[in-house]
Amino acid sequence: MLFEAPAKSISAGLAHSTSLAAGLLGAIAREKAILSQHLTNLGRRSALVRTAHFLLELGTRLEKAEAAKSHGFECPLTQYDLAAALGITAIHVNRMLRELRQRRYVDFRQGSVRLLNKEGLEHFADFDPGYLRLPGET
C-alpha cells in the first residue's frame, strides 16, 4: 500500500491522534515483518519450502480478507507469476508444486489451491502467520 501526503500534514495528524500514530507504527512494523520473511524466503529457504511458505502466506492473507477458506483458495496466478514472485523458473515452480502434491500437502490445479494437510505444510515451511497480524490483532 502506498500513500502520498505532505510531511506537515502527517506530522500534524500524528501529533493530534495517538491512535493514528499507533496504527501507523503498527502497519510499519507489519510491513517490516513481511519484508523480513520475503528476504528470508529468497536468501535462506529452499525452493520447495519457499513455495510452500508463499502459498501459506497467500492463503492466510486471503482468509483475512474473507476471500478464502482455511482449506484452500482460488489462485489465478500462473506458474510464470509464481516463478517471478519466488525467484525461480516456471519449470522449477512446476516441479515444486508436483513435489508438494506428492507429499500430500497441496493440490494446485486450474487456478485453485487446496490445502490437503495445512498443519503439516505449516510445520514443513516453518510458517507462523503471526507476522501478518497488526499489533493487537488476534
Side-chain angles (χ1 to χ4, degrees):
M1 196 176 297
L2 179 66
F3 297 100
E4 187 175 330
K8 285 184 182 182
S9 298
I10 293 173
S11 295
L14 295 176
H16 288 94
S17 174
T18 56
S19 62
L20 177 61
L24 181 60
L25 288 174
I28 290 169
R30 179 175 172 244
E31 289 301 314
K32 183 178 180 259
I34 290 171
L35 178 61
S36 176
Q37 287 295 319
H38 289 188
L39 288 173
T40 299
N41 267 346
L42 290 174
R44 295 191 181 157
R45 293 184 177 124
S46 70
L48 185 60
V49 172
R50 191 180 321 165
T51 304
H53 199 278
F54 179 81
L55 293 174
L56 287 164
E57 179 180 319
L58 188 57
T60 301
R61 292 176 109 178
L62 288 169
E63 272 186 75
K64 288 172 64 81
E66 298 180 0
K69 307 275 188 216
S70 64
H71 62 277
F73 53 93
E74 295 302 310
C75 182
L77 299 174
T78 67
Q79 289 185 9
Y80 292 100
D81 297 327
L82 292 173
L86 296 169
I88 58 179
T89 67
I91 292 169
H92 208 57
V93 168
N94 183 284
R95 290 181 189 134
M96 298 304 97
L97 293 173
R98 183 175 58 232
E99 178 73 21
L100 291 172
R101 187 172 46 252
Q102 288 172 343
R103 291 179 183 220
R104 301 198 189 290
Y105 286 135
V106 299
D107 188 26
F108 186 5
R109 295 177 197 263
Q110 300 173 344
S112 181
V113 175
R114 273 188 349 176
L115 301 172
L116 305 174
N117 179 358
K118 186 176 180 182
E119 189 174 297
L121 187 62
E122 288 175 339
H123 180 73
F124 173 73
D126 194 26
F127 181 78
D128 176 1
Y131 74 95
L132 296 170
R133 291 187 202 105
L134 288 170
E137 188 178 65
T138 57

